Amino acid sequence: MFEWHIERRSSFETESPLARESLNVSETGSLSIVVLGASGDLAKKKTFPALFHLYRQGFLPPKEVHIFGYARTKISDDELRDRLRGYLVPAKDASAKQLDDVSDFLNLIKYVSGSYDSEEGFRLLDKEISEHEYSKNSAEGLSRRLFYLALPPSVYPSVCKMIKTCCMNKSNLGGWTRVVVEKPFGKDLESAEELSTQIGELFEEPQIYRIDHYLGKELVQNMLVLRFANRLFLPLWNRDNIDNVQIVFREDFGTEGRGGYFDQYGIIRDIIQNHLLQVLCLVAMEKPVSLKPEHIRDEKVKVLESVVPISDDEVVLGQYEGYRDDPTVPDESNTPTFATVILRIHNERWEGVPFILKAGKALNSRKAEIRVQFKDVPGDIFKCQKQGRNEFVIRLQPSEAIYMKLTVKQPGLEMSTVQSELDLSYGQRYQGVTIPEAYERLILDTIRGDQQHFVRRDELKASWKIFTPLLHRIDRGEFKPLPYKPGSRGPAEADELLRKAGYVQTHGYIWIPPTL
C-alpha cells in the first residue's frame, strides 16, 4: 500500500489565515443566539452541542454571548439545562475541566416558553434579549441577533413573522438579525417557492441562511481546494477522461422509529435533492471568479440549470422489506427508502458523463462518498483492465479519507499488475486533530456573515425543478419502489443500472483504512 506523503509542518504553519484569526469572531457588542424548538431532538443532539464546542474553543466569548432557548414546552431554565447536559459531553468520559466547561456554558442559557404564532411569547423573548444586551453595555444598534429555527418547516412562516414583528434589532446604527432555517425546505418546487416568498417578504436574502449540514463536512469543503488548487486535476476533470461519477449515501439501519415522519418525504427529498445534489454542484462546477460566497453560488446555480430532465429508465426506487411494519407508516405506502438516480449535465465539460446519485436505508454498510471513475487506458499492453479502472475517491464518512486507485506492478519477479492506492486517511495523517462537526462550522459561518456554505433561493429553486416531476409521479403512485432485503445492497436492478451507465466495479479490491 502506498501512502500519500505530505510535508510535515507545525500546526501553526499549516493553519489557514482564517484559522489564525482571533478567536473572538465578534464585530462589537453583544451576540444573542436564539434556538427555537429548544426542547426538540435536533436542538438537543446537534444545535446546542455545536454551540458548546464553539464556546469551548473560544469562539463564543461569555462576556458577549448569551443563548436563549424558545419552545412551547413549559419548563424552567434549570430543567432545560438538565436535559441538555448529557448531550454536551458523555458523563462517564468527562474530565473535571470538561464538566466545569459544561456548567459554565449552561449558565449562558436562558429559556423562554411561548407559542410559535402569537406575539406574547416573542415579546417576552425580545425583553429577555434586550436585558442581556443592556447588561453587556451594548449600544442598541451594535447588538447581533441570530435565530436558529430547529423546527418543522410548517411553522417557519409564523415564526419568521413573529421574529420580524417582535424581535428584530431595533436600530439602523449597526448590528444585524439573521435567521437559520433547516431542511426540508418545501416538498416540491411549488411549496419551496411559496415558503421562500413568505420568508422573503420578511427578510432580505443576506439575512436568510438555509442550512444543509453536508456543506459543513470537512471533506465536502475540501472539494474546491482539491479541484482548483492542484494542477494534477485541472486537465483530467472533464468528459474526455472521466467515465462516470457516483455520489453515494448508505445507511445500515432503517427509519428507527421515524417511519411516520420519513414517510412524508422519502429518500429523494430527505437525502438526494439536497445533500447529494449540493455535493454534485461542487464536483461539477466551473472555477469561480473568487472565493466570495456569491461567486461560488453563481457557479453552483449554473450547474443545476444545466441538468437535463430525469429519464424514467435511469431511475431505480426501492423500499426495504419490513418498512411498512412500522405502525406509523401507512400499509400501502409508496415511499422509497432507496433510490438510484442518474443526472446528466448538458454543458461542454460534462456532456455524456452520468452523475449517479445513490442513497438508501437498511443497506449492508454505512458510508458516504464521492467516486470519480476514469476511462479505460487505450492500448492496454498489460492486459489489466479486468482489474479495474483508476478511481479518485473522497470518503465523507465514516473514516474520512481521500484515495486514488491505481494499477501498479505486483512486487516479485513476475511482470504482473495489481490495484493499490495512494491514500490520505485523515485518522492516520492528522492524528490528534479534531475534525469539527458540520454544525459547528456552519453556525460560525452564520455569525461571521459568510453565506458560502448555505443555499441561495435561486439555487433551491433550481434543485427542486430537477426532482419535482419525478417526485409527483411517486406521490401519485405511478412509480413503484422495488422490494429489497434489509442488509443487502438494495434492489439488484440498481446494480444493473450502474452497469448500463458505464460503471465498472472492481472485483477483489477492498479499500482498508490504514492503521495508526
Side-chain angles (χ1 to χ4, degrees):
M1 181 183 292
F2 294 92
E3 181 182 355
W4 218 328
H5 290 283
I6 301 175
E7 182 182 351
R8 295 190 178 274
R9 302 177 181 173
S10 71
S11 59
F12 180 81
E13 288 174 325
T14 55
E15 284 180 346
S16 69
L18 187 63
R20 292 199 296 269
E21 285 183 359
S22 167
L23 290 182
N24 186 345
V25 299
S26 63
E27 296 137 304
T28 180
S30 65
L31 171 61
S32 301
I33 300 174
V34 182
V35 180
L36 296 118
S39 60
D41 273 0
L42 176 63
K44 289 186 295 187
K45 294 177 180 178
K46 296 294 183 182
T47 315
F48 281 110
L51 292 171
F52 172 65
H53 292 138
L54 290 174
Y55 167 79
R56 288 201 73 202
Q57 296 171 73
F59 288 104
L60 301 180
K63 291 183 178 180
E64 299 180 4
V65 175
H66 207 73
I67 299 169
F68 300 86
Y70 185 93
R72 289 184 291 232
T73 310
K74 294 187 180 299
I75 55 175
S76 66
D77 294 351
D78 287 338
E79 286 175 312
L80 176 63
R81 292 165 185 163
D82 289 341
R83 291 187 181 192
L84 297 176
R85 195 179 304 273
Y87 292 96
L88 303 183
V89 293
K92 62 180 181 180
D93 300 325
S95 65
K97 175 67 168 64
Q98 286 176 316
L99 293 176
D100 287 344
D101 288 343
V102 168
S103 295
D104 292 343
F105 172 75
L106 291 175
N107 285 334
L108 296 176
I109 298 175
K110 173 79 176 175
Y111 182 73
V112 177
S113 175
S115 71
Y116 295 127
D117 57 0
S118 69
E119 293 188 13
E120 182 181 358
F122 283 89
R123 294 288 183 197
L124 179 58
L125 175 62
D126 180 63
K127 179 174 177 290
E128 295 287 353
I129 296 173
S130 297
E131 288 179 1
H132 157 66
E133 292 172 348
Y134 288 125
S135 73
K136 302 300 182 185
N137 298 316
S138 171
E140 198 174 16
L142 299 179
S143 67
R144 294 161 295 151
R145 298 185 177 191
L146 172 61
F147 294 88
Y148 193 111
L149 275 59
L151 295 165
S154 58
V155 298
Y156 287 174
S158 61
V159 169
C160 288
K161 183 178 179 181
M162 291 299 105
I163 294 171
K164 181 70 174 179
T165 303
C166 306
C167 297
M168 296 290 286
N169 187 318
K170 304 297 192 299
S171 172
N172 60 1
L173 300 177
W176 45 256
T177 299
R178 292 172 186 154
V179 177
V180 180
V181 291
E182 277 275 356
K183 79 167 188 73
F185 203 83
K187 293 188 70 174
D188 56 12
L189 177 59
E190 182 180 0
S191 60
E193 274 294 281
E194 181 181 1
L195 200 51
S196 291
T197 299
Q198 290 172 327
I199 296 177
E201 289 173 348
L202 301 168
F203 300 101
E204 297 179 3
E205 187 66 24
Q207 295 177 290
I208 305 169
Y209 289 71
R210 300 175 189 87
I211 195 169
D212 184 327
H213 76 270
Y214 253 58
L215 291 176
K217 288 185 176 294
E218 181 69 29
L219 292 202
V220 173
Q221 297 207 334
N222 207 345
M223 193 70 233
L224 293 187
V225 180
L226 287 169
R227 284 196 56 198
F228 301 124
N230 294 286
R231 182 62 182 257
L232 169 68
F233 295 116
L234 293 179
L236 299 179
W237 214 258
N238 54 52
R239 63 190 176 92
D240 296 330
N241 299 287
I242 292 174
D243 188 272
N244 60 82
V245 178
Q246 279 194 72
I247 304 172
V248 178
F249 173 92
R250 302 166 66 91
E251 287 183 332
D252 56 3
F253 53 88
T255 52
E256 306 290 314
R258 293 177 63 246
Y261 171 81
F262 180 85
D263 199 73
Q264 300 174 51
Y265 296 97
I267 199 71
I268 295 177
R269 290 184 175 99
D270 195 38
I271 301 295
I272 295 179
Q273 180 271 335
N274 37 68
H275 299 332
L276 301 195
L277 196 58
Q278 284 294 316
V279 173
L280 178 146
C281 289
L282 298 176
V283 173
M285 63 185 272
E286 297 297 319
K287 181 187 288 189
V289 175
S290 75
L291 291 177
K292 291 180 179 178
E294 295 313 308
H295 291 157
I296 292 173
R297 299 200 291 183
D298 285 346
E299 295 301 332
K300 289 166 67 181
V301 171
K302 289 177 186 177
V303 170
L304 293 172
E305 291 180 342
S306 298
V307 174
V308 302
I310 298 169
S311 173
D312 283 359
D313 59 3
E314 294 193 318
V315 177
V316 171
L317 304 179
Q319 186 184 91
Y320 68 82
E321 296 172 1
Y323 169 72
R324 299 180 196 175
D325 294 343
D326 185 326
T328 62
V329 174
D331 292 339
E332 302 302 320
S333 172
N334 196 54
T335 300
T337 61
F338 174 98
T340 296
V341 181
I342 296 177
L343 298 186
R344 297 187 179 272
I345 300 172
H346 180 57
N347 65 18
E348 184 179 4
R349 182 182 295 272
W350 297 114
E351 187 77 42
V353 178
F355 281 76
I356 304 161
L357 308 187
K358 182 164 65 174
K361 291 183 172 291
L363 299 175
N364 60 350
S365 63
R366 172 181 173 265
K367 68 177 180 180
E369 68 179 20
I370 306 163
R371 183 174 296 268
V372 179
Q373 187 171 84
F374 291 87
K375 294 186 174 182
D376 290 324
V377 175
D380 177 23
I381 61 175
F382 293 103
K383 304 294 188 287
C384 58
Q385 286 188 2
K386 65 180 183 298
Q387 292 176 340
R389 292 169 166 173
N390 295 149
E391 291 183 349
F392 182 59
V393 183
I394 302 174
R395 190 177 178 99
L396 307 178
Q397 66 181 35
S399 304
E400 291 92 344
I402 301 167
Y403 63 95
M404 186 177 293
K405 288 171 57 177
L406 302 174
T407 300
V408 300
K409 179 184 175 296
Q410 175 80 49
L413 296 176
E414 300 297 326
M415 180 54 76
S416 58
T417 59
V418 66
Q419 279 226 325
S420 190
E421 68 277 330
L422 299 174
D423 194 322
L424 170 59
S425 288
Y426 275 48
Q428 182 189 49
R429 174 62 184 86
Y430 300 113
Q431 296 181 39
V433 176
T434 301
I435 296 178
E437 283 290 326
Y439 281 94
E440 295 174 43
R441 191 188 310 273
L442 295 175
I443 290 173
L444 187 58
D445 283 347
T446 308
I447 296 169
R448 288 172 166 163
D450 183 352
Q451 291 189 305
Q452 175 180 334
H453 303 115
F454 295 83
V455 181
R456 200 168 64 190
R457 178 173 177 173
D458 56 344
E459 193 178 342
L460 180 74
K461 180 178 180 180
S463 66
W464 276 118
K465 189 175 180 181
I466 293 168
F467 283 101
T468 291
L470 172 62
L471 289 168
H472 282 177
R473 292 191 58 202
I474 296 170
D475 293 342
R476 292 193 297 264
E478 298 171 8
F479 213 125
K480 298 289 186 181
L482 302 168
Y484 65 93
K485 292 187 179 300
S488 68
R489 286 177 51 84
E493 289 83 352
D495 288 334
E496 178 62 19
L497 177 60
L498 262 63
R499 188 191 64 78
K500 288 180 180 177
Y503 173 68
V504 176
Q505 187 173 0
T506 303
H507 295 285
Y509 169 90
I510 299 176
W511 176 74
I512 301 174
T515 55
L516 299 181

